[in-house]
Amino acid sequence: ADKKYNYEQLFASCVIKPTKYTEIDSVISKMLTHKSRYEAVGSRLQIPWFLIAIIHCLEGRLRFDRHLHNGDPLTKRTVNVPKGMPKTENPPFTWEISATDALVYDKLNTWTNWSISGILYKLEGYNGFGYYSKRINSPYLWSYSNHDTKGKYVQDGKYDPDAVSKQIGAAVLLRRLREKQLIILPDTDLINQILAQGKVTRFYNGSVTSAAKILQQLLNRAGAVLRVDGKAGELTSNEYFKFSGEYLNGDSRN
């Protein structure tokens, strides 16, 4: 609960440093160029494309010859933490195989809270929560904003109180994506409405229902692109799964 409140307050009061906009927007343009690759991996795991893109920026500098786990080369298994990944398949790895392994390893495929606080929690967790003990905001999230000054883990387990991050923070990228209206981030109230409406909506069985229309409208507010036709079929059920971790009642995939 304390992390949730903290993330929401920090994100709401985040101010990106004006001198960094050009660099940030250039990175976002590169993300959009490869959006289809992020979507291809994300759709199979029910993970938003932009979350994968942000991790790719932080861990691999948007290079597709690097592991999403930590930026090590795809020519062999990872040598840095987490070491020896992926444990299956044989090198050299495709980026898609490595990315899928990294996301599943971090259990992002089972996460369903895609609110601002839920996203930031998983992004910080991807790097580690070591900054909490230092009582500073994680530069992994907040670098290039008013919420970051100095102090950084310069390598695994080695903290430098005077080091300044030279990498765009994950929360800053998320903030800028929303500012440019490239993504829609649902708030907690909207997610709760989606979960409640999903409980009273059945998978399409030939009948158009008002419950399905309401659910489709709520899902569209949260960023989906659904036809509001009252037929809660596979697409509607897929979007509901992203927030609930389960398909609609009557969907054979449950």
Side-chain angles (χ1 to χ4, degrees), residues 7-8 10-12 14 16 21 24-25 27-28 31 48-55 57-58 113-124 140-145 168-186:
Y7 288 135
E8 290 174 347
L10 287 172
F11 194 79
C14 177
I16 298 172
Y21 271 105
I24 293 168
D25 286 352
V27 167
I28 287 175
M31 287 179 176
W49 72 269
F50 56 84
L51 185 72
I52 302 172
I54 290 172
I55 293 172
C57 177
L58 272 291
N113 181 2
W114 300 118
S115 65
I116 291 171
S117 59
I119 290 170
L120 294 180
Y121 175 74
K122 292 305 288 184
L123 282 170
E124 183 167 4
Y140 191 84
L141 292 184
W142 304 108
S143 179
Y144 287 25
S145 80
I168 307 169
V172 170
L173 285 168
L174 190 69
R175 172 87 182 196
R176 186 57 178 155
L177 282 163
R178 192 176 77 166
E179 287 179 355
K180 292 169 71 69
Q181 298 183 344
L182 295 169
I183 60 173
I184 298 173
L185 297 175

Side-chain angles (χ1 to χ4, degrees), residues 2 16 33 80 115 121 128 132 155 163 180 184 191 213 221:
D2 61 327
I16 298 172
T33 299
N80 292 297
S115 65
Y121 175 74
Y132 268 85
Q155 62 185 58
K180 292 169 71 69
I184 298 173
I191 291 175
K213 287 184 179 180
R221 283 174 54 196

Side-chain angles (χ1 to χ4, degrees), residues 57-99:
C57 177
L58 272 291
E59 299 294 338
R61 293 179 293 172
L62 299 181
R63 291 180 57 170
F64 286 91
D65 60 351
R66 293 290 185 268
H67 285 289
L68 194 66
H69 307 74
N70 56 20
D72 287 344
L74 289 173
T75 50
K76 55 185 178 181
R77 302 190 197 281
T78 57
V79 295
N80 292 297
V81 179
K83 187 177 180 179
M85 308 298 286
K87 295 185 181 299
T88 59
E89 306 289 338
N90 294 307
F93 302 98
T94 65
W95 181 82
E96 283 75 10
I97 286 175
S98 172

